[in-house]
Every structure is written in C-alpha cells, then in structure tokens.
C-alpha cells in the first residue's frame, strides 16, 4: 500500500499558506515536478511544518505517465450556472500547501520554497490562512479512520495512494450575511446555528441540500479561513479519490443538475478554482529516482 502525503490528514494545525506556481518559460513538466518534489526533503519538517505538493493533472501526467489517473482534468474553463453565476477557472501548474502550529515557521518554509524554485516555477497566487475556532471543515466530514477510503486512489489504479484536490478561494459578503436573522441564516445553510443539526424542513436550495454527499459522493475537507476583519473568506480545500464528486458538487451549487443555485452563493463568491493531483510519497520519490 502506498503512503499518502502526511499533511493531508494532519489536523489541528492553526497556520496555513497556499502557494500556487506556474512553470517558468522553457521548463518541462518533469523539471517542475522534480524541483517541487525535492522540497520534501527532511529540512522542510523542521518546526513541525507539513508540506503537501500537488500538480496540475496534465503536468503530472506528462512527468509521470504511468502514475496519473486517466480521467482527471484541470480546472481550465469557468463553470457557469443557470442564472449566470460563475465559478472562475484559475488553474496553475503546481501548489504547495504549507501548514504548522505557528505562522513564523510557515512563513520561513514558504520563503525557502519560493527561493528554491526560482528559475523553474514562479509564484502565481498566494493565500495565508488560519484556523477559525475549531475549523470550518463541515459537520459531515469523515473521521480520520474513514477519510483514507474517501480520499486515496485505490492500490490497483494509476496514481495509487494519491488524491485529487479541489482548491477554491471564496470571498464572503459578511455585511449581507450578518444582516440576516439567525432563522434566515439557518434556512440558507440547512442547519441549526446553535448545534449544526440538519433541518428537517431545509429548503431545496440550501447549502446542505446543494452539497448532499449521500447524493453526490463523499469528500474530505480541510477548509480554512483567510483574510482580514473587513475582507475575508474561506479557502475550500477538498480531497477525493475521484474527480466526479468534486465536480458534481460544484455543478449542483450553480444549479446545473436541474436544480436551483445554492442560496449560500448569494453571500459568498469564488475568486479562484483549480484541480491538483497530490501524488503518494512513493510516487514523488520515483520521479526523483528516475531522473537520477
């Protein structure tokens, strides 16, 4: 059985950084994959920092053709809903998700990564995040016992031990949301605010109904808050062994499944959207070994 990158399941970290990179001119997919994979040397674990590396599906397929899920594509086109609501496509070539117990060590590792990749890949987007209260992963997130079954590509499939990441940055309209009475907020979400219990009479356009995992498929979330008091939102960090549950969730949220648009999208909007393949640790090592 192949080993997933450990940071995927490293719950409890309070500081995070998401660095997205584009390949520098003239650099091949293999060169980019080797450079980013090399960052996973022991020095990056100093100070209790977790480093998770992911790649644009097409780039990883080019760099490691025998180790990439066949039916996996990048987020290359905007997703437009029934009423024109749009989820933008901002696909980049690679992502580094850095997490730790304090922002200073996350900052230092992020700076080290950017310096190490100079000339091979350039930073295209960056977001620093933090844990809000316990977290914002969602009430129905699978436990760490069950999550690997949801997240990891099976051993008998290309990309075994890896996972598919959907990364989106959502900006919140806090003023509009906070102006709603609690009862209206509960109807938008489909859950009681006090204890997160699902409403028996939830609306069809509630967020719970629009993202029903019993209908669309199970995923594992590591969402985090980002931003300032006046300009903030959520980094959606969703993992799954297959791409379809992730895309089905987005299609449902914009109403493309024959339903209505998720009412929560009237109070938050996506600024970015990308899919990445996060290989197993053995797959990362194989890329370096093959190059050597």
């Amino acid at each position: 059985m192949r080993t997933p990158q450990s940071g995927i399941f490293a719950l409890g970290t309070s500081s995070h950084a998401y660095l997205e990179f584009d390949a520098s001119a003239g650099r091949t997919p293999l060169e980019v994959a080797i450079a980013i994979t090399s960052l996973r040397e022991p020095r990056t674990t100093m100070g209790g920092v977790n480093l998770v590396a992911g790649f644009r599906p097409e780039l990883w397929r080019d760099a490691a053709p025998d180790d990439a899920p066949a039916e996996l594509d990048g987020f290359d086109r905007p997703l437009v809903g029934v009423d024109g609501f749009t989820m933008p496509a901002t696909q980049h070539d690679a992502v580094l998700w850095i997490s730790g117990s304090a922002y200073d060590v996350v900052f230092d590792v992020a700076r080290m990564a950017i310096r190490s990749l100079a000339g091979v890949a350039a930073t295209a987007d960056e977001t620093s995040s933090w844990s809000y209260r316990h977290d914002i992963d969602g009430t129905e997130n699978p436990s760490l016992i069950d999550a690997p079954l949801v997240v990891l590509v099976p051993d008998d499939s290309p990309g075994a031990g890896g996972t598919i990441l959907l990364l989106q940055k959502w900006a919140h309209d806090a003023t509009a949301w906070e102006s709603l009475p609690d009862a209206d907020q509960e109807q938008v979400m489909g859950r009681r605010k006090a204890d997160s219990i699902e409403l028996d009479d939830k609306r069809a356009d509630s967020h719970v109904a629009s993202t029903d995992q019993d209908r669309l498929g199970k995923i594992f979330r590591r969402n985090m808050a980002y931003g300032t008091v006046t300009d903030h939102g959520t980094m959606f960090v969703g993992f799954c062994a297959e791409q379809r549950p992730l895309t089905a969730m987005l299609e449902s949220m914009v109403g493309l499944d024959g339903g209505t648009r998720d009412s929560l999208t009237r109070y938050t909007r996506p600024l970015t959207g990308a899919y990445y393949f996060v290989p197993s640790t053995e797959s990362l090592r194989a890329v370096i070994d093959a190059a050597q």
Side-chain angles (χ1 to χ4, degrees), residues 167-189:
L167 186 67
Q168 288 182 302
K169 184 175 182 177
W170 289 77
H172 299 341
D173 186 344
T175 300
W177 178 255
E178 291 168 355
S179 70
L180 293 179
D182 284 357
D184 290 346
Q185 290 183 0
E186 290 178 341
Q187 286 298 324
V188 170
M189 293 300 299

Side-chain angles (χ1 to χ4, degrees), residues 152-173:
L152 302 181
V153 176
D155 283 342
D156 58 351
S157 301
T163 184
I164 298 161
L165 164 64
L166 169 60
L167 186 67
Q168 288 182 302
K169 184 175 182 177
W170 289 77
H172 299 341
D173 186 344

Side-chain angles (χ1 to χ4, degrees), residues 239-261:
F239 294 95
C240 191
E242 299 178 288
Q243 188 171 28
R244 185 56 198 162
L246 296 165
T247 57
M249 178 187 67
L250 299 187
E251 291 168 356
S252 177
M253 290 181 70
V254 301
L256 291 179
D257 62 350
T260 55
R261 174 179 156 193

Side-chain angles (χ1 to χ4, degrees), residues 1 75 79 91 115 121 131 160 187 200 213 217 225 259 279:
M1 181 175 181
F75 203 138
L79 185 63
Q91 184 71 53
R115 290 194 305 271
S131 177
Q187 286 298 324
D200 292 332
Q213 293 191 43

Side-chain angles (χ1 to χ4, degrees), residues 39 43-44 51 107-117:
L39 296 174
R43 66 181 182 274
T44 62
L51 181 60
F107 178 89
D108 286 343
V109 171
R111 291 302 309 162
M112 177 277 296
I114 291 171
R115 290 194 305 271
S116 299
L117 294 175

Side-chain angles (χ1 to χ4, degrees), residues 177 180-191 198-212 215 260-267:
W177 178 255
L180 293 179
D182 284 357
D184 290 346
Q185 290 183 0
E186 290 178 341
Q187 286 298 324
V188 170
M189 293 300 299
R191 293 186 180 278
E198 188 172 327
L199 299 177
D200 292 332
D201 60 346
K202 61 181 177 295
R203 298 187 329 217
D205 67 345
S206 69
H207 185 57
V208 168
S210 298
T211 60
D212 181 7
R215 175 171 63 92
T260 55
R261 174 179 156 193
D262 186 338
S263 58
L264 185 60
T265 61
R266 304 188 186 283
Y267 304 94

Side-chain angles (χ1 to χ4, degrees), residues 112-130:
M112 177 277 296
I114 291 171
R115 290 194 305 271
S116 299
L117 294 175
V120 179
T123 308
D125 198 8
E126 174 212 343
T127 303
S128 298
S129 294
W130 35 273

Side-chain angles (χ1 to χ4, degrees), residues 69 93 103 141 158 160 167 186 196 230 252 262:
D93 287 327
Y103 187 66
N141 220 25
L167 186 67
E186 290 178 341
S196 199
T230 57
S252 177
D262 186 338

